[in-house]
């Protein structure tokens, strides 16, 4: 079983749609969680950290369910510019700063 | 102005050759990393250094050797290149790996193609 699992998609949605991605992680001792965004042929960039209480940044909402060991990302009112790959990332419990990346979920927003 | 810069951006070489990728960060960070992204888009950690000290050394072939002359630089040397080494290699840095919720800053990647 992969340490961090995501549905690779692609998710094809029209502009204005709401789309949600889920991610599961295997190590219950994991403490820190993130969503990174990677545009085609570019480097990953931090989109947002994921906190236990859930957090929102504009049209983006991230949630964490520790009991089920899954993380979600909700994008409301999708824009063309949201088209990218969204990487679910978990900080390893090894205290070495090791980040474990999921394969990523590809989102294509269509006009 | 580039925060994390790596060179070259593209590297095309023959099997068996030795090559290096250089990385520099001007953010004043203590920790630097090398990640490999394969054709299936998985990003996997290879190495990390904190202030020139090796922290993470994942199971990679010993043909790969990182070198950190100072905390602003982390270079990657690869000996006897193989076809399977073809991938995108990303350098990254963070303030200090011991801080939770650390943000990683990535370089723009080096596309390595081994022929």
């Amino acid at each position: 079983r992969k340490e961090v699992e995501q549905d690779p998609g692609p998710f094809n949605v029209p502009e204005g749609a709401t789309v949600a991605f889920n991610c599961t992680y295997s190590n219950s001792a994991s403490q820190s969680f993130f969503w990174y965004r990677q545009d085609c042929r570019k480097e990953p960039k931090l989109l947002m950290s994921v906190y236990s209480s859930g957090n929102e940044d504009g049209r983006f909402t991230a949630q964490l369910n520790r009991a089920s060991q899954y993380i979600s990302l909700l994008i409301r009112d999708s824009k063309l510019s949201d088209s990218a790959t969204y990487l679910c990332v978990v900080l390893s419990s090894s205290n070495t700063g090791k980040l474990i990346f999921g394969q990523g979920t590809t989102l294509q927003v269509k006009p | 102005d580039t925060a994390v810069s790596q060179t070259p951006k593209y590297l095309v070489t023959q099997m068996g050759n030795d090559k290096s990728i250089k990385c520099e960060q001007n953010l004043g960070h203590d920790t630097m990393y090398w990640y490999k992204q394969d054709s299936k888009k998985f990003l996997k950690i290879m190495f990390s250094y904190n202030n020139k000290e090796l922290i993470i050394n994942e199971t990679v072939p010993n043909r790969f050797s990182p070198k950190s002359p100072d905390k602003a630089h982390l270079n990657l040397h690869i000996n006897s290149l193989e076809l399977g080494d073809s991938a995108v290699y990303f350098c990254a840095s963070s303030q200090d790996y011991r801080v939770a919720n650390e943000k990683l800053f990535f370089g723009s990647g080096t596309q390595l193609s081994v022929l």
Side-chain angles (χ1 to χ4, degrees), chain B residues 38-96:
Chain B
D38 61 25
S39 57
K40 294 186 178 178
K41 306 300 181 188
F42 278 104
L43 256 172
K44 290 183 181 173
I45 183 80
M46 300 174 70
F47 304 102
S48 74
Y49 272 74
N50 189 72
N51 210 356
K52 300 194 295 177
E53 178 190 356
L54 180 66
I55 303 297
I56 295 174
N57 185 358
E58 287 290 288
T59 308
V60 298
N62 58 14
R63 298 181 294 103
F64 290 78
S65 53
K67 292 267 190 318
S68 182
D70 55 62
K71 73 173 193 176
H73 295 83
L74 180 60
N75 304 321
L76 184 65
H77 189 75
I78 316 169
N79 288 327
S80 303
L81 277 155
E82 299 179 357
L83 293 176
D85 298 332
S86 297
V88 181
Y89 292 84
F90 286 101
C91 178
S93 74
S94 68
Q95 185 63 58
D96 188 327

Side-chain angles (χ1 to χ4, degrees), chain A residues 51-96:
Chain A
Y51 302 117
S52 296
S53 53
N55 47 302
E56 191 174 305
D57 182 2
R59 296 180 295 108
F60 298 82
T61 301
Q63 300 222 311
L64 168 64
N65 184 320
R66 287 189 186 274
S68 303
Q69 292 179 213
Y70 85 76
I71 306 146
S72 64
L73 177 68
L74 183 78
I75 306 176
R76 288 181 299 278
D77 189 23
S78 299
K79 312 287 185 196
L80 295 177
S81 57
D82 294 335
S83 298
T85 296
Y86 292 84
L87 303 166
C88 177
V89 185
V90 176
L91 178 65
S92 162
S93 57
S94 63
N95 295 321
T96 58

